[in-house]
Amino acid sequence: MSQNGYTLNPLTAAKAGAPTDFQFTVTGPSGKPVTDYQVEHDKKLHFIVVSRDLSSFQHVHPEMSADGTWSVKIAFPAAGTFRAFADFTPTGGQALTLGADIQVAGDFQPKPLKAVSRTSEVDGYTVTLDGDLVPGQSSKLTLNVSKDGKPVTDLQPYLGAYGHLVALRAGDLAYLHVHPDGAPGDGKTRPGPGITFYAEAPSGGDYRLFLDFQHGGAVHTADFTAKAGEGTVAKPTAKNDHDSTPHGH
Ligand SMILES: [Cu+2]
């Protein structure tokens, strides 16, 4: 929750159920709330709230008042522990992602992690995942969007991109660094069906991927569970009988 002198401070006691006004500040090295931010992907601050069991995901854009207090309507769907991530760049500083846990009182029934899958169905769309997370290095992931069996080729720009991907490690919710490949209007990035990213998985293991994309005037969120290391083939340690077979590196 603290890095480079910047700290995320939740101010609201969260409750399960109806949307509530959730407030927080980001304090800077001076100890005062930060009020000057650089715009990244059309917004000064991106706020991501997930349940610790990774079954619930929200990506929202709070409004800041003049004193640096951020507010956003959030519904916590059930009791449990949630993690909030604030993704921002203070003016003149480095990009930061700060995280804080939010406790929501009540009976808590953790859900098991969704099974590993390359397909996600959301709002009548089918999204498939090509590519593999590779432990310890950047790897290319392409998400292909289709509807009614046809590739979607008129995705709408949302926050300066055709898609936004958030990737979290199951178990500790480590937040991965993800870069989009290209941007709308750059002359080479097409509005679907494929949306390409480069993601860095810090280790092997299970990850949850959440893709926000816009089509038909609405934002949709597809989710996947992916295993880092799956699909990579171990280097043979000895000469074998299949030297003509290419290995998947
Ligand atoms: Cu955002």
Side-chain angles (χ1 to χ4, degrees):
M1 62 196 298
S2 242
Q3 196 181 343
N4 299 356
Y6 293 87
T7 303
L8 173 61
N9 311 284
L11 301 175
T12 304
K15 281 186 187 149
T20 46
D21 191 28
F22 186 84
Q23 298 196 330
F24 62 93
T25 58
V26 175
T27 48
S30 70
K32 290 186 185 138
V34 177
T35 54
D36 289 326
Y37 294 85
Q38 236 167 273
V39 171
E40 302 282 354
H41 294 296
D42 283 357
K43 299 286 177 183
K44 289 181 174 178
L45 186 142
H46 300 262
F47 199 58
I48 285 124
V49 178
V50 295
S51 55
R52 273 252 172 218
D53 65 4
L54 290 170
S55 64
S56 146
F57 170 88
Q58 298 173 75
H59 177 170
V60 293
H61 300 101
E63 298 287 330
M64 189 186 70
S65 63
D67 69 356
T69 303
W70 291 94
S71 305
V72 64
K73 281 258 188 290
I74 294 186
F76 293 91
T81 303
F82 289 75
R83 188 146 183 91
F85 297 94
D87 200 325
F88 62 93
T89 304
T91 300
Q94 283 182 303
L96 290 172
T97 305
L98 302 181
D101 279 347
I102 299 168
Q103 311 292 350
V104 177
D107 270 349
F108 172 46
Q109 303 294 334
K111 294 194 177 82
L113 194 70
K114 275 200 194 173
V116 171
S117 172
R118 291 191 170 272
T119 304
S120 175
E121 306 278 348
V122 59
D123 306 333
Y125 296 86
T126 301
V127 185
T128 57
L129 168 65
D130 279 344
D132 291 292
L133 286 168
V134 181
Q137 66 183 69
S138 177
S139 59
K140 186 178 178 177
L141 301 177
T142 301
L143 294 120
N144 293 289
V145 183
S146 64
K147 192 170 204 265
D148 303 325
K150 289 184 198 126
V152 172
T153 55
D154 57 349
L155 289 173
Q156 295 163 330
Y158 173 57
L159 306 172
Y162 287 121
H164 292 268
L165 185 67
V166 170
L168 299 167
R169 181 165 59 188
D172 69 353
L173 277 56
Y175 190 94
L176 273 58
H177 199 169
V178 178
H179 293 285
D181 183 36
D186 66 4
K188 58 187 164 83
T189 305
R190 293 172 171 277
I195 315 168
T196 298
F197 300 90
Y198 289 90
E200 295 168 37
S203 69
D206 289 333
Y207 291 81
R208 290 280 288 152
L209 309 179
F210 300 94
L211 172 74
D212 288 326
F213 64 95
Q214 185 167 293
H215 188 250
V219 176
H220 314 282
T221 305
D223 67 295
F224 302 84
T225 301
K227 198 177 272 298
E230 192 173 70
T232 55
V233 176
K235 269 189 182 148
T237 51
K239 194 171 159 56
N240 61 37
D241 295 327
H242 305 280
D243 280 348
S244 60
T245 306
H247 289 267
H249 292 286

mmCIF file of all heavy atoms in Angstrom, residues 40-41 43 45-48 59-61 158-159 164 212, ligand 1:
data_model
loop_
_atom_site.group_PDB
_atom_site.id
_atom_site.type_symbol
_atom_site.label_atom_id
_atom_site.label_comp_id
_atom_site.label_asym_id
_atom_site.label_seq_id
_atom_site.Cartn_x
_atom_site.Cartn_y
_atom_site.Cartn_z
ATOM 1 N N GLU A 40 -3.360 8.830 -17.751
ATOM 2 C CA GLU A 40 -2.907 7.610 -18.438
ATOM 3 C C GLU A 40 -4.162 6.860 -18.883
ATOM 4 O O GLU A 40 -5.066 6.659 -18.079
ATOM 5 C CB GLU A 40 -2.111 6.695 -17.489
ATOM 6 C CG GLU A 40 -0.883 7.333 -16.855
ATOM 7 C CD GLU A 40 0.323 7.404 -17.790
ATOM 8 O OE1 GLU A 40 0.243 6.846 -18.912
ATOM 9 O OE2 GLU A 40 1.322 8.034 -17.395
ATOM 10 N N HIS A 41 -4.208 6.461 -20.149
ATOM 11 C CA HIS A 41 -5.413 5.791 -20.673
ATOM 12 C C HIS A 41 -6.662 6.609 -20.328
ATOM 13 O O HIS A 41 -7.629 6.087 -19.774
ATOM 14 C CB HIS A 41 -5.546 4.362 -20.137
ATOM 15 C CG HIS A 41 -4.454 3.459 -20.612
ATOM 16 N ND1 HIS A 41 -4.278 3.126 -21.925
ATOM 17 C CD2 HIS A 41 -3.468 2.841 -19.933
ATOM 18 C CE1 HIS A 41 -3.232 2.338 -22.051
ATOM 19 N NE2 HIS A 41 -2.718 2.157 -20.860
ATOM 20 N N LYS A 43 -7.501 8.609 -18.055
ATOM 21 C CA LYS A 43 -7.923 8.852 -16.671
ATOM 22 C C LYS A 43 -6.720 9.160 -15.791
ATOM 23 O O LYS A 43 -5.616 8.663 -16.040
ATOM 24 C CB LYS A 43 -8.654 7.620 -16.102
ATOM 25 C CG LYS A 43 -9.926 7.244 -16.846
ATOM 26 C CD LYS A 43 -11.045 8.207 -16.556
ATOM 27 C CE LYS A 43 -12.281 7.845 -17.362
ATOM 28 N NZ LYS A 43 -13.371 8.805 -17.161
ATOM 29 N N LEU A 45 -6.650 8.251 -12.626
ATOM 30 C CA LEU A 45 -6.462 7.122 -11.700
ATOM 31 C C LEU A 45 -7.410 5.991 -12.079
ATOM 32 O O LEU A 45 -8.589 6.225 -12.370
ATOM 33 C CB LEU A 45 -6.717 7.596 -10.257
ATOM 34 C CG LEU A 45 -6.422 6.585 -9.136
ATOM 35 C CD1 LEU A 45 -5.804 7.293 -7.928
ATOM 36 C CD2 LEU A 45 -7.679 5.868 -8.702
ATOM 37 N N HIS A 46 -6.863 4.788 -12.120
ATOM 38 C CA HIS A 46 -7.652 3.587 -12.400
ATOM 39 C C HIS A 46 -7.747 2.808 -11.095
ATOM 40 O O HIS A 46 -6.750 2.603 -10.413
ATOM 41 C CB HIS A 46 -6.981 2.752 -13.490
ATOM 42 C CG HIS A 46 -6.828 3.509 -14.778
ATOM 43 N ND1 HIS A 46 -7.708 3.388 -15.822
ATOM 44 C CD2 HIS A 46 -5.919 4.433 -15.164
ATOM 45 C CE1 HIS A 46 -7.336 4.195 -16.809
ATOM 46 N NE2 HIS A 46 -6.247 4.842 -16.438
ATOM 47 N N PHE A 47 -8.952 2.373 -10.753
ATOM 48 C CA PHE A 47 -9.181 1.724 -9.464
ATOM 49 C C PHE A 47 -9.776 0.349 -9.723
ATOM 50 O O PHE A 47 -10.808 0.219 -10.386
ATOM 51 C CB PHE A 47 -10.146 2.592 -8.654
ATOM 52 C CG PHE A 47 -10.133 2.326 -7.168
ATOM 53 C CD1 PHE A 47 -8.970 2.453 -6.424
ATOM 54 C CD2 PHE A 47 -11.305 1.997 -6.498
ATOM 55 C CE1 PHE A 47 -8.961 2.241 -5.049
ATOM 56 C CE2 PHE A 47 -11.315 1.786 -5.130
ATOM 57 C CZ PHE A 47 -10.137 1.907 -4.402
ATOM 58 N N ILE A 48 -9.091 -0.666 -9.241
ATOM 59 C CA ILE A 48 -9.513 -2.040 -9.478
ATOM 60 C C ILE A 48 -9.816 -2.680 -8.127
ATOM 61 O O ILE A 48 -9.012 -2.584 -7.195
ATOM 62 C CB ILE A 48 -8.420 -2.795 -10.259
ATOM 63 C CG1 ILE A 48 -8.465 -2.327 -11.721
ATOM 64 C CG2 ILE A 48 -8.643 -4.297 -10.232
ATOM 65 C CD1 ILE A 48 -7.253 -1.811 -12.269
ATOM 66 N N HIS A 59 -13.442 -2.630 -12.394
ATOM 67 C CA HIS A 59 -12.445 -1.640 -12.817
ATOM 68 C C HIS A 59 -13.212 -0.339 -12.994
ATOM 69 O O HIS A 59 -14.039 -0.231 -13.895
ATOM 70 C CB HIS A 59 -11.803 -2.124 -14.120
ATOM 71 C CG HIS A 59 -10.812 -1.186 -14.720
ATOM 72 N ND1 HIS A 59 -10.006 -1.541 -15.762
ATOM 73 C CD2 HIS A 59 -10.477 0.099 -14.433
ATOM 74 C CE1 HIS A 59 -9.224 -0.523 -16.095
ATOM 75 N NE2 HIS A 59 -9.504 0.487 -15.310
ATOM 76 N N VAL A 60 -12.982 0.612 -12.103
ATOM 77 C CA VAL A 60 -13.786 1.838 -12.076
ATOM 78 C C VAL A 60 -12.876 3.071 -12.069
ATOM 79 O O VAL A 60 -11.651 2.951 -11.887
ATOM 80 C CB VAL A 60 -14.732 1.855 -10.853
ATOM 81 C CG1 VAL A 60 -15.788 0.768 -10.976
ATOM 82 C CG2 VAL A 60 -13.962 1.712 -9.540
ATOM 83 N N HIS A 61 -13.496 4.231 -12.278
ATOM 84 C CA HIS A 61 -12.737 5.476 -12.384
ATOM 85 C C HIS A 61 -13.310 6.515 -11.439
ATOM 86 O O HIS A 61 -14.284 7.186 -11.763
ATOM 87 C CB HIS A 61 -12.719 5.941 -13.841
ATOM 88 C CG HIS A 61 -12.080 4.910 -14.715
ATOM 89 N ND1 HIS A 61 -12.797 4.040 -15.500
ATOM 90 C CD2 HIS A 61 -10.787 4.535 -14.823
ATOM 91 C CE1 HIS A 61 -11.960 3.197 -16.071
ATOM 92 N NE2 HIS A 61 -10.744 3.469 -15.677
ATOM 93 N N TYR A 158 -11.853 2.181 -25.925
ATOM 94 C CA TYR A 158 -12.285 2.412 -24.550
ATOM 95 C C TYR A 158 -11.049 2.855 -23.775
ATOM 96 O O TYR A 158 -10.065 2.112 -23.714
ATOM 97 C CB TYR A 158 -12.887 1.128 -23.973
ATOM 98 C CG TYR A 158 -13.226 1.192 -22.506
ATOM 99 C CD1 TYR A 158 -14.100 2.167 -22.025
ATOM 100 C CD2 TYR A 158 -12.680 0.298 -21.602
ATOM 101 C CE1 TYR A 158 -14.407 2.236 -20.669
ATOM 102 C CE2 TYR A 158 -12.991 0.354 -20.250
ATOM 103 C CZ TYR A 158 -13.850 1.333 -19.799
ATOM 104 O OH TYR A 158 -14.153 1.406 -18.463
ATOM 105 N N LEU A 159 -11.080 4.051 -23.264
ATOM 106 C CA LEU A 159 -9.939 4.593 -22.520
ATOM 107 C C LEU A 159 -8.653 4.510 -23.347
ATOM 108 O O LEU A 159 -7.601 4.106 -22.852
ATOM 109 C CB LEU A 159 -9.757 3.869 -21.188
ATOM 110 C CG LEU A 159 -10.979 3.826 -20.268
ATOM 111 C CD1 LEU A 159 -10.721 2.920 -19.082
ATOM 112 C CD2 LEU A 159 -11.324 5.235 -19.781
ATOM 113 N N HIS A 164 -8.481 -3.471 -22.186
ATOM 114 C CA HIS A 164 -7.634 -3.278 -21.003
ATOM 115 C C HIS A 164 -7.572 -4.609 -20.273
ATOM 116 O O HIS A 164 -8.599 -5.198 -19.964
ATOM 117 C CB HIS A 164 -8.198 -2.189 -20.096
ATOM 118 C CG HIS A 164 -8.107 -0.848 -20.732
ATOM 119 N ND1 HIS A 164 -7.037 -0.021 -20.548
ATOM 120 C CD2 HIS A 164 -8.923 -0.229 -21.607
ATOM 121 C CE1 HIS A 164 -7.209 1.062 -21.284
ATOM 122 N NE2 HIS A 164 -8.347 0.970 -21.937
ATOM 123 N N ASP A 212 -11.326 -5.935 -20.175
ATOM 124 C CA ASP A 212 -12.417 -4.998 -20.448
ATOM 125 C C ASP A 212 -12.343 -4.592 -21.908
ATOM 126 O O ASP A 212 -11.279 -4.171 -22.382
ATOM 127 C CB ASP A 212 -12.281 -3.724 -19.597
ATOM 128 C CG ASP A 212 -12.589 -3.961 -18.133
ATOM 129 O OD1 ASP A 212 -13.457 -4.787 -17.832
ATOM 130 O OD2 ASP A 212 -11.958 -3.291 -17.293
HETATM 131 CU CU CU B 1 -9.147 2.279 -15.725
#
